[in-house]
């Protein structure tokens, strides 16, 4: 139970509360959500179960877990499938870099909320966000601080503590979200936001949306970097892999939808554009906290502090999972001490994080392909590397790993009677790889 919760802790994070609303807002609302849910359940779950199978069977770091599977079959040292693991290590490093920037924004908002300086209307909030993110030092400082915090947790083995705490923190975050959802839906003019979320307008679906929904689904499930392998290596022989994947995906999607219900009614009510991009939740929420609770300002004050605190902690349980991938890889593969492995990971991610933080306005030229560094890293990972990681993982499990191993893992050595094994195999062999290729080709305009 604990380790399943920990996996859910990795899945639930800024991906649900920051990225999901902003992606939904940029892609027209309800229609995007439908695509997203389809991807989570049809492509995400088979992908998750595949990573679980590799992780539980391999019982080691990302790259090794793939190699273990392969070696058993071929009896040789290096096998190209370890490349899937290496790619996962690299991907999670890039994600950690930019993710920490946004987590750093949460820390700043937590700090400013405590000081009581974050009260005002939407124009004020937008101005504040702009001014803060283009500050030359502060955002980068918070980014590095967040990575150091992650480092501390990973190195000092307080991870168990954090994960035990998340048994309380996750339900707390859930309840607080529900509470803010209600407050947000009671704002004047909120119904336009609810319409936006639930009444699909398929004419709003543009070219990029299929890949964006795919990327969002994988990002939110922590799928495609062997992150789930690492967790599954701690699963017991009794853990029902398929059922766990379903449960985690369900919790993850519910939290994302709640975040949407928190943001859009409020955004429409206070006049924030739904397609504001990465700033969306940061420019919407301050007005929710001051307007929805205007009848009792101390309550708004308290709710805002609690919210940013819980969001930062949710982000922390996710960054821990990313940091761990790189750390355990460096430590096990290069005969380093765990401590040095962690420091290398921290240094590299901090460097990237600082670049991303500075590219938001502090330093002008930090752009790649017309995007700021943060948007670029986000695009590169969520829309290219994660789908590729999941693609190869499905092929690997579907076609390369001996069928008996897959069946044993999927059915817990025959003890789960009604496990849909044939259906699962059909999905990882055909449906997932073909769907991912089709989405890529569509994006390139070839399909
Ligand atoms: N899923 C997390 C979120 O929604 C982010 C995350 C953690 C992640 N570990 C990952 C994303 C590994 C991709 C790969 O916030």
């Amino acid at each position: 139970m604990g380790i399943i919760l920990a996996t859910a802790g990795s899945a639930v994070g800024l991906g649900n509360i920051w990225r999901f609303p902003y992606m939904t807002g940029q892609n027209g609302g309800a229609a995007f959500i439908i695509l997203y849910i389809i991807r989570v359940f049809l492509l995400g779950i088979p992908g998750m179960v595949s990573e679980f199978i590799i992780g539980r069977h391999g019982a080691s770091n990302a790259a090794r877990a793939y190699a273990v599977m392969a070696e058993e079959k071929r009896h040789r040292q290096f096998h190209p499938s370890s490349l899937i693991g290496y790619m996962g290590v690299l991907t999670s490093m890039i994600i950690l870099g930019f993710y920490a920037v946004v987590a750093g924004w949460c820390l700043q908002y937590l700090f400013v909320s405590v000081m009581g300086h974050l009260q005002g209307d939407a124009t004020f909030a937008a101005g504040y966000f702009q001014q803060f993110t283009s500050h030359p030092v502060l955002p980068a400082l918070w980014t590095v601080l967040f990575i150091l915090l992650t480092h501390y947790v990973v190195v000092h083995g307080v991870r168990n503590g954090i994960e035990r705490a998340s048994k309380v923190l996750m339900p707390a975050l859930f309840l607080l979200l529900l509470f803010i959802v209600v407050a947000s839906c009671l704002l004047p003019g909120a119904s336009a936001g609810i319409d936006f979320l639930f009444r699909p307008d398929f004419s709003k679906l543009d070219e990029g949306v299929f890949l964006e929904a795919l990327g969002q689904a994988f990002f939110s499930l922590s799928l495609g970097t062997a992150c789930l392998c690492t967790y599954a290596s701690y699963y017991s022989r009794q853990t029902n892999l398929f059922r766990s994947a379903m449960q985690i995906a369900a919790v993850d999607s519910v939290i994302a939808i709640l975040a949407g219900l928190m943001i859009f009614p409020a955004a429409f009510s206070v006049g924030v554009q739904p397609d504001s991009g990465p700033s969306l939740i940061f420019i919407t929420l301050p007005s929710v906290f001051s307007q929805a609770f205007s009848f009792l300002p101390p309550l708004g004050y308290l709710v805002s502090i609690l919210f940013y605190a819980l969001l930062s902690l949710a982000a922390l349980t996710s960054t821990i999972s990313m940091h761990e991938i790189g750390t355990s890889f460096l430590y096990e593969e290069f005969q380093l001490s765990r401590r040095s492995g962690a420091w290398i990971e921290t240094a590299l991610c901090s460097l990237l994080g600082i670049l991303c933080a500075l590219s938001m306005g502090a330093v002008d030229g930090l752009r790649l392909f017309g995007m700021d560094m943060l948007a670029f890293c986000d695009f590169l990972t969520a829309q290219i590397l994660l789908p590729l990681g999941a693609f190869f993982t499905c092929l690997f499990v579907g076609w390369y790993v001996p069928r008996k191993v897959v069946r044993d893992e999927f059915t817990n050595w025959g003890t789960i009677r009604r496990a849909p094994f044939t259906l699962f195999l059909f999905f990882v062999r055909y449906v997932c790889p073909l769907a991912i290729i089709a989405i890529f080709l569509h994006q390139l305009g070839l399909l």
Side-chain angles (χ1 to χ4, degrees):
M1 187 62 197
I3 183 71
I4 301 289
L5 252 155
T7 319
S10 155
V12 173
L14 298 172
N16 309 61
I17 293 170
W18 160 73
R19 201 173 187 278
F20 175 79
Y22 107 66
M23 279 285 157
T24 304
Q26 281 184 337
N27 288 298
F32 175 82
I33 299 185
I34 295 174
L35 283 181
Y36 164 77
I37 297 283
I38 294 176
R39 279 151 176 66
V40 167
F41 285 90
L42 292 189
L43 309 181
I45 296 211
M48 288 174 83
V49 175
S50 301
E51 282 202 20
F52 287 165
I53 289 176
I54 298 166
R56 185 166 70 174
H57 187 80
S60 53
N61 76 58
R64 195 111 288 273
Y66 284 82
V68 167
M69 279 274 191
E71 274 162 27
E72 275 172 13
K73 202 167 152 184
R74 287 268 180 83
H75 307 288
R76 58 174 172 164
Q77 272 303 307
F78 177 79
H79 187 272
S81 59
S82 337
L83 290 176
I84 311 175
Y86 295 148
M87 188 170 87
V89 172
L90 181 73
T91 312
S92 58
M93 216 177 246
I94 303 176
I95 298 184
L96 180 51
F98 81 82
Y99 198 93
V101 176
V102 183
W105 297 347
C106 296
L107 288 184
Q108 163 81 6
Y109 274 61
L110 173 61
F111 176 70
V112 188
S113 297
V114 172
M115 307 301 286
H117 292 167
L118 206 61
Q119 278 148 1
D121 59 10
T123 327
F124 163 80
Y128 180 81
F129 181 82
Q130 171 65 26
Q131 196 189 358
F132 162 62
T133 49
S134 43
H135 189 281
V137 184
L138 265 182
L141 208 61
W142 284 119
T143 303
V144 174
L145 194 76
F146 204 92
I147 297 177
L148 287 176
L149 204 64
T150 310
H151 177 105
Y152 182 85
V153 174
V154 169
V155 170
H156 289 83
V158 280
R159 174 166 172 174
N160 283 339
I162 296 276
E163 268 152 16
R164 232 172 291 132
S166 70
K167 280 186 194 161
V168 183
L169 295 173
M170 288 248 286
L173 178 67
F174 177 77
L175 291 178
L176 187 70
L177 271 178
L178 270 185
F179 186 64
I180 304 176
V181 165
V182 173
S184 164
C185 289
L186 290 177
L187 285 169
S191 60
I194 300 176
D195 269 6
F196 179 80
L197 264 186
F198 294 121
R199 190 166 299 163
D201 174 358
F202 289 99
S203 66
K204 295 238 181 83
L205 293 184
D206 63 10
E207 279 300 297
V209 71
F210 294 96
L211 184 57
E212 281 177 0
L214 182 75
Q216 173 60 27
F218 288 179
F219 187 90
S220 193
L221 296 171
S222 306
L223 179 61
T225 66
C227 173
L228 299 172
C229 288
T230 316
Y231 279 96
S233 66
Y234 299 103
Y235 286 2
S236 79
R237 286 170 68 99
Q238 276 81 41
T239 309
N240 183 332
L241 301 183
F242 178 64
R243 197 173 54 201
S244 309
M246 294 280 273
Q247 286 165 344
I248 294 164
V251 169
D252 193 66
S253 308
V254 168
I255 303 250
I257 304 276
L258 279 181
L261 268 172
M262 163 176 83
I263 295 299
F264 290 105
F268 278 83
S269 170
V270 300
V272 170
Q273 289 299 328
D275 58 354
S276 300
S279 64
L280 182 67
I281 74 161
F282 294 96
I283 60 184
T284 309
L285 284 174
S287 5
V288 180
F289 297 139
S290 48
Q291 286 185 31
F293 300 103
S294 57
F295 62 95
L296 193 62
L299 183 62
Y301 176 77
L302 202 69
V303 169
S304 71
I305 293 178
L306 259 179
F307 176 79
Y308 293 118
L310 287 173
L311 184 56
S312 307
L313 284 163
L316 185 64
T317 52
S318 298
T319 51
I320 292 169
S321 73
M322 296 175 229
H323 198 292
E324 181 78 42
I325 300 175
T327 301
S328 59
F329 168 74
L330 288 165
Y331 143 76
E332 284 171 24
E333 300 299 297
F334 295 104
Q335 277 85 42
L336 293 170
S337 69
R338 201 175 149 75
R339 196 170 278 272
S340 339
W343 274 117
I344 297 177
E345 170 82 9
T346 295
L348 292 173
C349 293
S350 301
L351 198 67
L352 185 64
I354 291 173
L355 287 177
C356 289
L358 292 178
S359 78
M360 296 300 290
V363 178
D364 263 347
L366 278 177
R367 297 177 76 80
L368 281 170
F369 302 100
M371 293 177 253
D372 58 66
M373 287 284 289
L374 192 142
F376 175 75
C377 291
D378 182 312
F379 169 80
L380 175 69
T381 51
Q383 297 191 37
I384 298 176
L385 295 174
L386 294 182
L388 278 182
F391 172 79
F392 287 120
T393 301
C394 286
L395 284 186
F396 184 66
V397 168
W399 295 98
Y400 188 82
V401 177
R403 195 185 165 108
K404 180 175 180 321
V405 174
V406 180
R407 175 181 292 121
D408 282 349
E409 291 287 342
F410 192 86
T411 62
N412 285 358
W413 298 268
T415 58
I416 308 172
R417 292 258 164 259
R418 303 228 315 274
F421 176 67
T422 323
L423 187 68
F424 167 73
L425 205 61
F426 178 69
F427 265 77
V428 289
R429 283 193 158 178
Y430 304 102
V431 180
C432 299
L434 289 176
I436 295 173
I437 291 198
I439 293 171
F440 272 131
L441 289 180
H442 176 80
Q443 180 74 18
L444 293 170
L446 299 175
L447 193 74

